[in-house]
Amino acid sequence: MMKNILVTGGAGFIGSHVVRLLVNKYSNYNIINLDNLTYAGNLENLNDIENKPNYSFVKADICDYDKICAVFSEYNIDSVIHLAAESHVDRSIKDPFSFAKTNIMGTLSLLEAAKNIWNNDFDNKLFYHISTDEVYGSLGDEGYFTEKTAYDPHSPYSASKASSDHFVRSFSDTYGLPIVVSNCSNNYGSFQFPEKLIPLFINNICKSKPLPVYGKGENIRDWLFVNDHARAIDLIFHNGSKGDTYNIGGFNEWKNIDLIKVLIKTVDKFLGRKEGESEKLITFVTDRAGHDYRYAIDSTKLKNELGWEPSLQFEEGIEHTVKWYLENQDWINNVTSGEYQKYYKEMYK
Ligand code: NAD
Ligand code: TYD
């Protein structure tokens, strides 16, 4: 069946992988990538597919309701995969307003546009909202987040994502809008902006710059290769139950400091340095305010209902990722020029 899918945030990290997968896999779908090209959005991420006949790009702000309605009409949109967001916890601590604006008001504007333009004709329509495991809060040493875990966000980022999830579900309950939500753990892979732990640290190790480890480096994250997230999104988009939620994660928990040592070992190996040479770059710095201790996703439902499993072992994914950043120095140099320098100085002064 033919589809016209609006992917928001398609020029960002995860969005670009989702757009690439859909454009290449479904020549009968039109993929309309709507992105405002903030500091985190970069059309270079999509160079390889930008000339495909089933791909279009629209530069727009998801908060601009009139523009979003116009795009729905012009492209006859029947499905939305909504990834556009402000996504970095540290930035949310410095500037919570922009997180409320984009993540809450932007999502609401998309929901209103979908409801009003589809005008109660919800056959073959879907609003798929991409969210995060951070809405569930922080775990102790035991247990996992399931789809039934109560929301308990702690950062302005996770609070804004939690609010957007509630709005999406409210549109299903109140207006019958066909929705699906997925909540994923931390992603890693190519094209991630080097403000997040893994690309930031790979870049700093390469350049022999200090590695700013928050607190004692004992916080735990559950890491998933971004292409596996994109595969899960494809599956949930096509086969997920309407109104339902799916958790996505790889059962792959790492204490930050252990993960950092793996990054050091891998980068040093590729650069022909002595094993562990860059460990001297580790610098313990003041902890992040409200730093969640542990995230761990139980993705059993996704496995049992839709047959999804991660495709890669972590070591393989990290090797692949390190290699990509080392081989794409132009990309790194482009995204870290200009505004990034100011951000870096301000954040790690
Ligand atoms: P990202 O910051 O790399 O990309 C966000 C994209 O959204 C950028 O291209 C940016 O230009 C665009 N954007 C921002 N504000 C916009 C606006 N007002 N209008 C239009 N476009 C706008 O983020 P990401 O890491 O790719 O995350 C994508 C989604 O996945 C987010 O919703 C995030 O909450 C969620 N998520 C991310 C992770 C992760 O580990 N990165 C994990 C789980 C869920
Ligand atoms: P991050 O990649 O920002 O993802 P999130 O906070 O959304 O999980 O951070 C991952 C972990 O790494 C988190 O526990 C914070 C820590 N961290 C550092 O220790 N130093 C850093 O410079 C950054 C960016 C993160």
Side-chain angles (χ1 to χ4, degrees):
M1 197 171 73
M2 166 84 201
K3 280 187 186 300
N4 298 318
I5 306 175
L6 182 70
V7 179
T8 70
F13 166 48
I14 302 171
S16 61
H17 286 277
V18 171
V19 165
R20 178 176 299 100
L21 184 152
L22 296 175
V23 164
N24 285 333
K25 186 167 171 186
Y26 302 102
S27 57
N28 55 329
Y29 292 0
N30 290 314
I31 307 302
I32 298 91
N33 170 16
L34 184 145
D35 197 298
N36 205 23
L37 302 181
T38 69
Y39 77 94
N42 185 357
L43 287 177
E44 251 189 88
N45 298 359
L46 291 164
N47 277 346
D48 55 327
I49 56 106
E50 67 184 359
N51 294 321
K52 297 260 175 151
N54 61 338
Y55 171 75
S56 315
F57 173 70
V58 179
K59 183 176 180 328
D61 186 339
I62 54 168
C63 299
D64 184 347
Y65 173 75
D66 292 339
K67 173 79 184 178
I68 299 297
C69 287
V71 171
F72 264 74
S73 300
E74 183 183 344
Y75 291 92
N76 201 14
I77 298 298
D78 49 50
S79 322
V80 177
I81 304 181
H82 172 37
L83 297 108
E86 288 294 338
S87 68
H88 189 38
V89 173
D90 293 328
R91 285 184 191 257
S92 81
I93 294 168
K94 291 219 180 290
D95 177 18
F97 269 126
S98 61
F99 282 69
K101 185 165 172 281
T102 295
N103 298 356
I104 306 174
M105 293 304 288
T107 301
L108 185 53
S109 125
L110 285 165
L111 287 164
E112 270 290 282
K115 167 173 78 71
N116 293 337
I117 301 288
W118 292 340
N119 195 19
N120 280 323
D121 175 9
F122 293 148
D123 280 355
N124 296 316
K125 306 289 197 305
L126 182 66
F127 190 104
Y128 180 1
H129 178 60
I130 307 299
S131 193
T132 165
D133 61 354
E134 303 192 23
V135 298
Y136 297 123
S138 180
L139 293 162
D141 285 318
E142 302 290 319
Y144 293 91
F145 299 133
T146 72
E147 289 81 359
K148 295 199 162 58
T149 303
Y151 276 30
D152 181 23
H154 297 132
S155 72
Y157 164 63
S158 53
S160 66
K161 290 296 291 187
S163 173
S164 66
D165 294 10
H166 291 317
F167 266 109
V168 172
R169 294 195 182 101
S170 80
F171 268 61
S172 166
D173 295 341
T174 308
Y175 308 109
L177 190 78
I179 61 118
V180 68
V181 178
S182 59
N183 296 77
C184 188
S185 61
N186 288 62
N187 285 213
Y188 71 96
S190 52
F191 298 111
Q192 186 170 31
F193 194 78
E195 60 184 356
K196 307 277 168 59
L197 180 77
I198 290 186
L200 174 74
F201 277 40
I202 294 174
N203 190 36
N204 283 14
I205 299 165
C206 283
K207 302 203 159 91
S208 295
K209 282 169 67 176
L211 305 175
V213 181
Y214 297 159
K216 294 185 175 142
E218 283 174 351
N219 302 64
I220 296 165
R221 297 291 182 266
D222 178 0
W223 294 94
L224 183 69
F225 192 51
V226 64
N227 302 63
D228 281 330
H229 188 187
R231 283 176 45 243
I233 289 173
D234 177 20
L235 202 60
I236 293 166
F237 175 78
H238 287 97
N239 301 322
S241 301
K242 297 270 163 70
D244 224 339
T245 295
Y246 295 87
N247 279 356
I248 311 172
F251 290 106
N252 177 42
E253 292 178 51
W254 286 82
K255 209 180 254 194
N256 288 342
I257 193 69
D258 296 335
L259 168 62
I260 289 160
K261 287 183 180 161
V262 172
L263 293 176
I264 290 172
K265 196 170 156 204
T266 314
V267 176
D268 280 350
K269 184 182 81 182
F270 276 117
L271 293 181
R273 294 179 184 161
K274 216 167 73 223
E275 187 172 335
E277 187 180 320
S278 301
E279 287 200 12
K280 61 176 184 289
L281 300 172
I282 291 176
T283 310
F284 292 96
V285 299
T286 310
D287 208 353
R288 172 187 278 171
H291 198 172
D292 286 335
Y293 171 60
R294 174 172 167 254
Y295 302 144
I297 276 276
D298 180 349
S299 53
T300 310
K301 175 175 169 181
L302 185 58
K303 181 176 177 197
N304 289 349
E305 286 189 16
L306 303 184
W308 175 90
E309 278 186 289
S311 67
L312 274 188
Q313 291 300 311
F314 187 60
E315 285 69 14
E316 199 186 334
I318 283 292
E319 289 240 338
H320 183 285
T321 302
V322 166
K323 196 159 171 271
W324 188 87
Y325 285 97
L326 295 181
E327 285 172 355
N328 288 275
Q329 284 297 310
D330 284 352
W331 184 90
I332 278 279
N333 292 338
N334 286 348
V335 300
T336 56
S337 63
E339 193 53 30
Y340 181 83
Q341 303 295 336
K342 228 171 86 197
Y343 162 82
Y344 199 89
K345 266 201 202 114
E346 175 65 22
M347 194 64 76
Y348 296 108
K349 58 187 167 219

